[in-house]
Amino acid sequence: MSDINLETATLAGGCFWCIEAVFNDLDGVEDVTSGYTGGHKASPTYQEVCTGQTGHAEAVQIRFNPEIISYADLLRIFFTVHDPTTLNRQGADVGTQYRSAIFYHNNEQEKIANEVRDEIAAAGLYEHPIVTEITPADKFWRAEDYHQEYFANNPNQPYCAAVVAPKVAKFRQKFASRLKSARGRAAN
């Protein structure tokens, strides 16, 4: 497949290990890269981002085929795989680096992000208001190599076993028909 047909989404929803693991499974997603965005320091390291002093969020950049999965559907899934109502935190992970954010790449993505956020809020899925920031995409800094495919490569690491694995299992159950493996089953 040519990159010409692919689009980019950049999302932050807590630890990037969780978000990357979920979106890697989705049919129509060609690539997910963990990294840092929304901050003020060039070429930040994981250790620097973890201090909360660089302004960056742990984020993922998703290359997807909009003929298979729409940007709006990516966002609908995003809003269900993390808690968009907690400011600067996801569970025990606390700090601005764990904020919920959509970094849009063009005016159409901004419009869709606002529409989907309003749709999710109106659906009453959450008891508290959604605090997800919707902001223009900034320079995306690829995280260190060991963060890429982290859950796939380290499923028994304690954080992965306790936090990532349950999120991924819940996601796979809820969105079974949207998984890459479902496409293969449908073709048979």
Side-chain angles (χ1 to χ4, degrees):
M1 172 181 311
S2 169
D3 276 356
I4 294 170
N5 296 325
L6 299 181
E7 293 183 16
T8 301
T10 304
L11 307 172
C15 175
F16 49 29
W17 298 343
C18 294
I19 301 296
E20 179 195 57
V22 165
F23 284 100
N24 266 333
D25 277 355
L26 274 176
D27 191 24
V29 170
E30 297 297 319
D31 182 61
V32 182
T33 302
S34 290
Y36 319 109
T37 194
H40 53 78
K41 184 182 186 310
S43 300
T45 66
Y46 181 66
Q47 288 73 24
E48 291 169 332
V49 171
C50 284
T51 69
Q53 300 301 305
T54 69
H56 291 88
E58 286 191 17
V60 294
Q61 203 157 68
I62 303 164
R63 300 282 293 149
F64 67 99
N65 182 339
E67 293 178 17
I68 297 174
I69 187 164
S70 70
Y71 183 68
D73 282 347
L74 283 176
L75 296 183
R76 288 181 186 105
I77 292 167
F78 170 71
F79 276 114
T80 65
V81 297
H82 81 294
D83 184 349
T85 70
T86 53
L87 186 63
N88 299 328
R89 82 174 302 152
Q90 286 297 302
D93 295 332
V94 179
T96 57
Q97 67 271 29
Y98 300 115
R99 67 189 180 269
S100 175
I102 298 167
F103 297 92
Y104 59 85
H105 291 266
N106 55 47
N107 291 339
E108 183 65 14
Q109 282 191 354
E110 179 185 21
K111 177 179 170 278
I112 292 168
N114 282 297
E115 289 171 354
V116 171
R117 181 200 52 211
D118 293 349
E119 170 190 313
I120 298 296
L125 299 176
Y126 296 101
E127 183 178 337
H128 302 288
I130 291 172
V131 297
T132 303
E133 70 180 57
I134 298 173
T135 189
D138 197 4
K139 172 73 176 159
F140 183 85
W141 303 96
R142 187 180 190 280
E144 298 82 350
D145 286 346
Y146 73 92
H147 288 297
Q148 308 306 322
E149 306 289 332
Y150 192 85
F151 176 64
N153 293 324
N154 302 279
N156 298 319
Q157 189 265 5
Y159 183 90
C160 288
V163 177
V164 184
K167 276 190 176 189
V168 171
K170 182 178 174 183
F171 157 76
R172 288 177 179 163
Q173 182 178 12
K174 183 172 184 168
F175 294 101
S177 67
R178 303 299 306 259
L179 301 179
K180 289 176 180 171
S181 58
R183 178 177 262 233
R185 287 193 305 268
N188 292 332

